[in-house]
Amino acid sequence: MALATQRVDVPVIVDESKCLEKCTACIEVCPLDVLAKNPETGKAYMKYDECWFCLPCEKECPTNAITVQIPFLLR
Amino acid sequence: MDTQWMKTDVLIIGGGTAGTMAAIKAKQANPEGEVLILEKANIRRSGAIAMGMDGVNTAVIPGNSTPEQYVREITISNDGILNQKAVYQTGKLGFGVIQELESWGVKFQKDAQGEYDLKQVHRVGKYVLPMPEGKDLKQILTRQVKRHKAKVTNRVMATRVLVKDGRAIGAVGFDVRNGDFVVIQAKAVVLCTGASGRLGLPASGYLYGTYENPTNAGDGYSMAYHAGAELSNIECFQINPLIKDYNGPACAYVASPFGAYTANAEGNRFISCDYWSGQMMLEVWKELNSGKGPVQLKMTHLDEDTIAEIETILWANERPSRGRFHEGRGENYRTHGVEMNISEIGLCSGHSASGVWVNEKAETSVPGLYAAGDMASVPHNYMIGAFVFGMLAGTNAVEYVAGLDHVDPDPEFLEVEKTRIYAPLTRPSGVPHTQVEYKLRRLVNDYLQPPKVDNKMEIGLRNFARYHETLDLMGARDPHELMRCMEVHFIRDCAEMAARASLYRRESRWGLYHYRVDYPDKNNDEWFCHVNLKKDDSGNMVLFKRPVEPYIVEVDLEREVYDVAVR
């Protein structure tokens, strides 16, 4: 099976300057489990584009580092 | 890849509305008993009410309505096909649930006299109780689960119920983060996995832009089926009037008591009642196809204070991103009607009637297996119904397990299931789950979206039956992708059930939910019954009629026809 990698606009945006390296609050509450830590920077990012734009990640972030946009196709 | 073995008395699969309540009630019934919630997300923010709820839709409060009146209302709106005894439970026990939730800190709207401030949204009675401060519902429930010392295992997804000698003895699944194979032995199993909310493809084309929490992929429908349980009214699809593209509620249940209403493009009413029913959806479908659309939820005529209050409720609860959706398009309730669309199909007894067959004790047709919430076939059950049936499942399961021992699962079954689960990981370059799911759900739209046409549904069914071959091409690179792959298996099962049940009932009923072009009329002589389905001993999906249980509340269905058209 030949696979291509495509670019995709993701809904969850993390402000890396505010994201705390030791905190996993957003990752723990995401119903779809789509957030992860970038192993190189220790910052959270949206690893899988599977979003219900439901907002627990944004609400539970202690430093307001997260902004959830409406997914592009719905926007 | 390790194997984790767990043991519990009562296993609850899914820690949403019904599941958390089932756990709490099981522990209240027997504090010594072991209760485990298995949740593929995190119970703090999982299920349909992950971000709370803006109101209760089935509140039967003494002094305002009676369980008998409520049963009448639902009997008429569900065209007579229901187990009244089960619906009665929601009417009878819901008030106690509301009081208990209040004692835990959940706030319901009261009037100046301190009485529950009920609103009329249904055709006749007042059953809607606003919860403008309902956003923390799930955290409150989570706290009670911990306080009652029920165990919780997050991020483990169940794939099959274990059955031996015809009774449920546990479940099997995997950890969606580290990939471990998980086997749980239990004396009773409660399925509370929510709706089949990822069945049709949203018009936006975004796989997760669904009305239901997209984690609810029909897991319990499929697991109950493979455990040998009966499912019921599957052809009574869930189809909702939703904000176009956003695909969430607008929400008329909140806004119509304030004076908002559903209108056509000319601003005229065409339905007399905003309560969601198949009959109402048929009127929306007719209006959209008559050239008088688009359909809108109209609030532009309301005063500033009222609109501001509606915004405060709608933008804080249930689907709080509604506000930024409208903002992004430069629209707001003062200047624009909310454009509405007919959703893709799903299965959900919380809103319609499609679910796993249960009686008034939340028992399925498999001993030791219970079901509650959106996936249990108790029509129009909504959130309070999920709490009530969670409560019934939890307490009855505790009673059932008394004196029972754990049973060892069949090692051969475990091996076969392990191979099935992990197959996508053996082909990491296989077709991505996103593409396999997109095509499957696009086929659901093409062939099952009502109006239902025989020839189209037959083609759909052939496609779904053959789709096993496509599932075998799916590849996953990590446990997360594996979770999504196994959800596609559930979706395929639900699609086949939806096609077969729709073909079996040769009449039209429930408005748009089961509107068949080839059989456009209701036929009570032949079809005043449930259509149930199950997996037979040779592994085939069989369908059969199940008589409607004798009514406990008299309703004259010849005289009382549910009709909400404005003519």
Side-chain angles (χ1 to χ4, degrees), chain B residues 473-539:
Chain B
L473 302 175
M474 218 168 10
R477 295 171 298 185
D478 59 35
H480 177 88
E481 291 187 355
L482 190 60
M483 161 169 64
R484 297 279 107 90
C485 288
M486 298 321 288
E487 287 170 347
V488 180
H489 283 247
F490 293 147
I491 297 168
R492 193 222 66 85
D493 287 344
C494 290
E496 182 177 345
M497 288 187 238
R500 288 194 192 277
S502 294
L503 282 162
Y504 189 82
R505 183 183 282 279
R506 289 197 296 276
E507 62 152 4
S508 287
R509 194 176 287 270
W510 305 297
L512 189 63
Y513 298 165
H514 185 64
Y515 175 35
R516 288 190 70 168
V517 173
D518 305 272
Y519 304 92
D521 299 318
K522 193 190 288 176
N523 178 353
N524 277 336
D525 291 339
E526 286 179 65
W527 293 103
F528 191 81
C529 59
H530 300 279
V531 168
N532 279 19
L533 65 82
K534 63 181 281 194
K535 183 166 152 179
D536 73 8
D537 293 338
S538 355

Side-chain angles (χ1 to χ4, degrees), chain B residues 347-359:
Chain B
L347 307 177
C348 174
S349 199
H351 297 92
S352 62
S354 33
V356 173
W357 171 260
V358 291
N359 63 12

Side-chain angles (χ1 to χ4, degrees), chain A residues 1 27-33 48-56 58 60 68 70-71 74-75, chain B residues 41-42 44-45 51 155 177 206 208 210-215 245 319 321 324-325 329 429 478 480 484:
Chain A
M1 189 69 53
I27 294 168
E28 291 315 319
V29 294
C30 174
L32 284 117
D33 207 14
Y48 308 93
D49 176 24
E50 300 159 0
C51 184
W52 195 38
F53 35 106
C54 53
L55 310 190
E58 186 180 297
E60 306 224 2
V68 177
I70 302 296
L74 287 60
R75 206 176 296 158
Chain B
N42 182 318
R44 185 174 160 80
R45 293 287 195 183
M51 288 301 280
R155 305 294 176 190
R177 289 199 170 156
Y206 191 57
Y208 314 95
T210 46
Y211 169 77
E212 297 290 347
N213 186 326
T215 53
D245 299 343
R319 301 303 308 277
S321 62
R324 65 189 68 173
F325 171 78
R329 294 188 170 194
S429 302
D478 59 35
H480 177 88
R484 297 279 107 90

Side-chain angles (χ1 to χ4, degrees), chain B residues 356-472:
Chain B
V356 173
W357 171 260
V358 291
N359 63 12
E360 65 274 16
K361 295 176 76 181
E363 294 167 335
T364 71
S365 56
V366 171
L369 185 63
Y370 298 77
D374 280 345
M375 61 163 287
S377 183
V378 183
H380 298 232
N381 221 11
Y382 286 93
M383 184 177 74
I384 290 297
F387 282 133
V388 167
F389 275 77
M391 170 167 93
L392 292 167
T395 45
N396 289 322
V398 164
E399 198 175 304
Y400 170 84
V401 301
L404 284 183
D405 289 322
H406 286 116
V407 177
D408 287 334
D410 176 8
E412 207 173 306
F413 179 88
L414 293 181
E415 269 320 301
V416 170
E417 180 57 4
K418 194 172 180 182
T419 305
R420 188 184 76 93
I421 293 174
Y422 293 105
L425 284 180
T426 65
R427 24 171 204 268
S429 302
V431 184
H433 62 85
T434 44
Q435 285 182 304
V436 176
E437 179 175 339
Y438 186 98
K439 189 195 277 189
L440 172 60
R441 293 171 61 191
R442 200 252 306 149
L443 291 168
V444 168
N445 284 14
D446 290 347
Y447 297 116
L448 296 186
Q449 180 85 20
K452 302 179 185 179
V453 178
D454 280 20
N455 292 329
K456 284 170 66 177
M457 290 195 290
E458 293 283 3
I459 298 171
L461 179 56
R462 280 204 298 278
N463 273 291
F464 306 141
R466 270 189 54 203
Y467 217 71
H468 282 296
E469 297 163 24
T470 308
L471 299 182
D472 289 342

Side-chain angles (χ1 to χ4, degrees), chain B residues 118-348:
Chain B
L118 288 150
K119 308 289 183 191
Q120 182 173 345
V121 173
H122 291 66
R123 211 169 56 124
V124 180
K126 284 186 178 181
Y127 303 105
V128 170
L129 177 57
M131 312 168 59
E133 298 172 72
K135 64 180 168 49
D136 298 326
L137 202 47
K138 207 59 209 297
Q139 290 96 310
I140 292 171
L141 289 164
T142 301
R143 211 176 302 140
Q144 290 302 325
V145 166
K146 287 184 183 151
R147 194 163 288 170
H148 285 83
K149 299 193 167 56
K151 284 191 190 142
V152 177
T153 296
N154 289 316
R155 305 294 176 190
V156 170
M157 173 179 177
T159 58
R160 286 286 185 267
V161 172
L162 292 167
V163 180
K164 204 163 193 182
D165 301 327
R167 82 174 173 95
I169 57 155
V172 59
F174 65 101
D175 185 310
V176 302
R177 289 199 170 156
N178 69 19
D180 281 356
F181 187 57
V182 178
V183 182
I184 303 142
Q185 286 180 260
K187 298 169 184 171
V189 178
V190 182
L191 288 170
C192 308
T193 62
S196 170
R198 241 159 76 204
L199 187 51
L201 182 69
S204 68
Y206 191 57
L207 289 171
Y208 314 95
T210 46
Y211 169 77
E212 297 290 347
N213 186 326
T215 53
N216 296 350
D219 310 28
Y221 290 74
S222 173
M223 285 190 278
Y225 171 75
H226 289 289
E230 289 181 30
L231 290 94
S232 194
N233 310 322
I234 294 298
E235 70 282 12
C236 181
F237 294 167
Q238 167 177 231
I239 304 170
N240 296 333
L242 302 177
I243 303 173
K244 185 175 178 302
D245 299 343
Y246 182 81
N247 231 16
C251 161
Y253 286 19
V254 168
S256 73
F258 287 100
Y261 57 89
T262 305
N264 60 24
E266 294 158 5
N268 295 324
R269 292 176 199 249
F270 62 95
I271 46 173
S272 58
C273 173
D274 274 316
Y275 180 69
W276 288 3
S277 63
Q279 297 83 345
M280 180 253 213
M281 285 313 303
L282 186 57
E283 297 307 322
V284 174
W285 181 81
K286 285 181 190 166
E287 200 71 7
L288 287 171
N289 283 282
S290 72
K292 291 185 199 149
V295 163
Q296 54 174 323
L297 180 67
K298 193 173 174 308
M299 290 184 256
T300 50
H301 57 292
L302 303 176
D303 64 53
E304 174 56 34
D305 287 355
T306 306
I307 288 181
E309 191 175 347
I310 294 172
E311 280 176 351
T312 311
I313 300 168
L314 292 182
W315 300 359
N317 289 287
E318 190 182 358
R319 301 303 308 277
S321 62
R322 282 182 275 221
R324 65 189 68 173
F325 171 78
H326 296 308
E327 217 167 49
R329 294 188 170 194
E331 298 182 356
N332 79 68
Y333 302 155
R334 293 157 192 82
T335 53
H336 291 77
V338 181
E339 187 183 347
M340 306 291 292
N341 204 17
I342 294 176
S343 75
E344 71 282 0
I345 69 162
L347 307 177
C348 174

Side-chain angles (χ1 to χ4, degrees), chain B residues 64-82:
Chain B
N64 289 273
S65 61
T66 65
E68 285 75 13
Q69 286 168 335
Y70 175 71
V71 169
R72 276 182 65 80
E73 181 106 33
I74 302 304
T75 301
I76 296 164
S77 55
N78 207 50
D79 278 349
I81 311 295
L82 76 173

